[in-house]
Amino acid sequence: MRAASISRRTAETDVHVSIDLDGTGKATIATGVGFLDHMLELFARHGLFDLEVKVDGDLHVDQHHTTEDAGIALGQAVAKALGDKRGIGRYADLHLPMDEALTRIAIDISGRPFLVFRTAFRVEKIGQFDTELVREWFQAFAMNAGITLHVETLYGDNAHHIAESCFKGLARALRKAVSIDPREDGRVPSTKGSL
Ligand SMILES: [Mn+2]
């Protein structure tokens, strides 16, 4: 079963994440940050991951630690659930439209963490949420999942739509990249023999 749990406690946050990569999109999310909950719920739905995320964070400071640490723990959980990565598709890319916004996502489950993030927001806030935290979450996720991740918003106006196109795009690309390719016949998809 490709599922894993991560518990991570620091002076700033207490995070618990469980993920089943072969789920149905069922999400139980409670980070204390409404917009982040919304993004993680649609990440689960569009990835067809069963996902639980619970964060007790220092929201009296701001939403930074909660957002970043949720990304760290979710990345770690994905890496753990993938295990030795046998049989996976490994690569995926797509364009994800959300009304006027369009984001391109390319992913390589490489074991080499790297993020290219070319997405800009015209406003600093989406409700209570700082738009700069979208990048922080993607950075934390990519580094801890051990994936190469390129995110580029080609155009878009509304910050909520832009953020949603990034999270939905990641979910859809990850869903494809982690899918078992029967032609791989359980092999690790690398000439090196490991990822
Ligand atoms: Mn929305």
Side-chain angles (χ1 to χ4, degrees):
M1 199 171 135
R2 298 192 304 165
S5 295
I6 294 288
S7 291
R8 185 178 183 277
R9 184 175 198 151
T10 69
E12 296 167 345
T13 62
D14 189 358
V15 186
H16 179 76
V17 172
S18 294
I19 192 166
D20 182 349
L21 298 176
D22 302 301
T24 58
K26 195 171 51 173
T28 307
I29 314 290
T31 68
V33 178
F35 187 73
L36 182 60
D37 288 359
H38 180 39
M39 294 300 105
L40 295 177
E41 280 163 9
L42 54 83
F43 172 83
R45 177 65 187 86
H46 289 281
L48 292 180
F49 308 130
D50 288 346
L51 181 64
E52 288 179 31
V53 180
K54 172 95 173 64
V55 187
D56 183 10
D58 57 356
L59 296 176
H60 60 282
V61 177
D62 66 5
Q63 301 180 344
H64 193 116
H65 301 141
T66 292
T67 303
E68 184 177 18
D69 293 357
I72 290 171
L74 182 51
Q76 290 175 346
V78 166
K80 191 174 170 187
L82 277 168
D84 61 9
K85 308 184 183 77
R86 287 182 181 279
I88 63 169
R90 180 177 170 180
Y91 293 97
D93 67 277
L94 54 77
H95 289 76
L96 197 298
M98 173 75 207
D99 293 356
E100 87 298 342
L102 185 69
T103 295
R104 174 169 61 209
I105 302 270
I107 192 169
D108 175 12
I109 300 178
S110 57
R112 294 191 308 279
F114 202 95
L115 177 71
V116 174
F117 192 83
R118 294 185 179 167
T119 293
F121 295 96
R122 294 179 189 179
V123 294
E124 290 182 0
K125 294 273 191 186
I126 303 169
Q128 304 292 309
F129 189 78
D130 294 318
T131 49
E132 67 179 11
L133 294 180
V134 175
R135 186 198 182 102
E136 294 301 307
W137 186 91
F138 273 78
Q139 176 75 15
F141 178 79
M143 293 306 108
N144 288 277
I147 63 175
T148 301
L149 176 59
H150 292 240
V151 179
E152 183 171 28
T153 298
L154 304 180
Y155 43 80
D157 295 313
N158 181 277
H160 189 121
H161 294 165
I162 290 170
E164 202 158 313
S165 70
C166 293
F167 278 89
K168 281 181 178 170
L170 172 63
R172 285 280 173 169
L174 195 60
R175 167 175 161 179
K176 200 187 291 181
V178 305
S179 290
I180 297 297
D181 180 345
R183 290 189 65 198
E184 289 289 353
D185 195 24
R187 290 169 298 185
V188 176
S190 167
T191 52
K192 287 187 297 186
S194 74
L195 286 171

